[in-house]
Amino acid sequence: MAALPRLVCASSVVLVVWAGFCSAVCVEVPSETEAVQGTHMKLLCISCMKREEVTASTVVEWFYRPEGGKDEPIYEYRKTNHEFPSRFSGRLQWNGSKDMQDVSITVLNVTLNDSGIYTCNITREFEFEIHRPLFTSSRRIHLTVVEEAGEDFTSVISEIMMYILLVFLTLWLLIEMVYCYRKVSKAEEAAQENATDYLAIPSENKENCAVPVEE
């Protein structure tokens, strides 16, 4: 179940990389929302800037809110990385890009208690000649952690196609076997009929059937 969005997200990330090489285009891709216990989970947070806005100082703040709880700071980037004391201590890894358009983090060794709402706040101060405008944006990720990976949608489709193919091949083999059996049976029946007709000919006529030898 989680594999389909994972697949879509992976292809989207490839698109982002490809676009970055080709035309310096930034695409805001949503993060995955389901993780498996014991794995690493990248919380994707992308905030695109226009070409003329690339020169800017950026501050990134990550918050976590458990079910029924309040937002608590867990990570911050302000020229340098800073991890706040929390349940994630030692388990957070910065995955931001150099241009600060991708400000993602990764949660290492995800646990069931890591389910909740993650908020990524981005504050940019653009460095124009006349003024220095300040812009803020925010991204929220509702993360659910499961004990085991759900059934892969693509694998389900593959299994269905495999069963259909097996049924088709089985039917085709049965049809071929029946066809070959009937063909052999007809050949045997024709041979038996020829033998019966030959035996039914009188002996004197059989001698006449011999081909005369020219001297």
Side-chain angles (χ1 to χ4, degrees):
M1 293 185 295
L4 183 59
R6 186 174 296 116
L7 182 61
V8 174
C9 185
S11 60
S12 301
V13 172
V14 173
L15 177 62
V16 172
V17 175
W18 176 83
F21 279 111
C22 295
S23 57
V25 175
C26 175
V27 180
E28 297 186 4
V29 183
S31 177
E32 295 182 44
T33 58
E34 185 175 293
V36 180
Q37 181 182 13
T39 62
H40 299 340
M41 177 64 186
K42 182 176 181 178
L43 302 175
L44 194 63
C45 182
I46 297 177
S47 179
C48 298
M49 292 186 294
K50 298 179 181 179
R51 272 177 139 179
E52 62 272 14
E53 297 176 342
V54 172
T55 304
S57 58
T58 303
V59 175
V60 182
E61 298 172 309
W62 277 93
F63 295 87
Y64 167 73
R65 181 197 303 175
E67 291 293 334
K70 298 181 179 180
D71 286 337
E72 55 183 75
I74 58 174
Y75 203 88
E76 180 184 76
Y77 180 90
R78 194 185 298 265
K79 293 186 179 180
T80 59
N81 302 328
H82 175 66
E83 182 178 341
F84 292 95
S86 66
R87 69 178 70 191
F88 303 98
S89 295
R91 294 194 296 123
L92 297 179
Q93 185 178 74
W94 175 254
N95 287 128
S97 58
K98 291 183 178 180
D99 60 6
M100 296 303 294
Q101 302 204 71
D102 182 355
V103 291
S104 307
I105 61 173
T106 296
V107 181
L108 307 177
N109 193 21
V110 175
T111 68
L112 295 176
N113 293 329
D114 294 340
S115 296
I117 300 175
Y118 294 80
T119 303
C120 171
N121 292 334
I122 306 103
T123 303
R124 300 190 194 279
E125 184 179 4
F126 295 100
E127 301 173 0
F128 296 119
E129 294 182 0
I130 302 176
H131 63 297
R132 301 172 68 91
L134 198 67
F135 294 96
T136 60
S137 60
S138 182
R139 305 285 184 275
R140 280 193 174 185
I141 303 170
H142 295 255
L143 183 67
T144 301
V145 181
V146 297
E147 293 184 1
E148 296 180 356
E151 189 68 26
D152 193 337
F153 180 77
T154 55
S155 67
V156 172
I157 297 298
S158 300
E159 290 179 5
I160 293 175
M161 295 300 297
M162 181 185 66
Y163 289 136
I164 293 175
L165 181 61
L166 287 175
V167 171
F168 173 78
L169 291 176
T170 302
L171 292 175
W172 181 78
L173 288 174
L174 288 174
I175 294 173
E176 285 292 320
M177 291 174 63
V178 172
Y179 172 78
C180 293
Y181 175 76
R182 288 183 176 180
K183 190 173 182 180
V184 172
S185 298
K186 288 182 179 180
E188 291 180 351
E189 290 176 0
Q192 289 179 357
E193 289 178 359
N194 292 335
T196 302
D197 294 341
Y198 179 78
L199 293 174
I201 299 175
S203 58
E204 59 273 11
N205 292 338
K206 292 179 181 179
E207 294 176 357
N208 295 333
C209 291
V211 179
V213 179
E214 296 182 359
E215 296 181 356

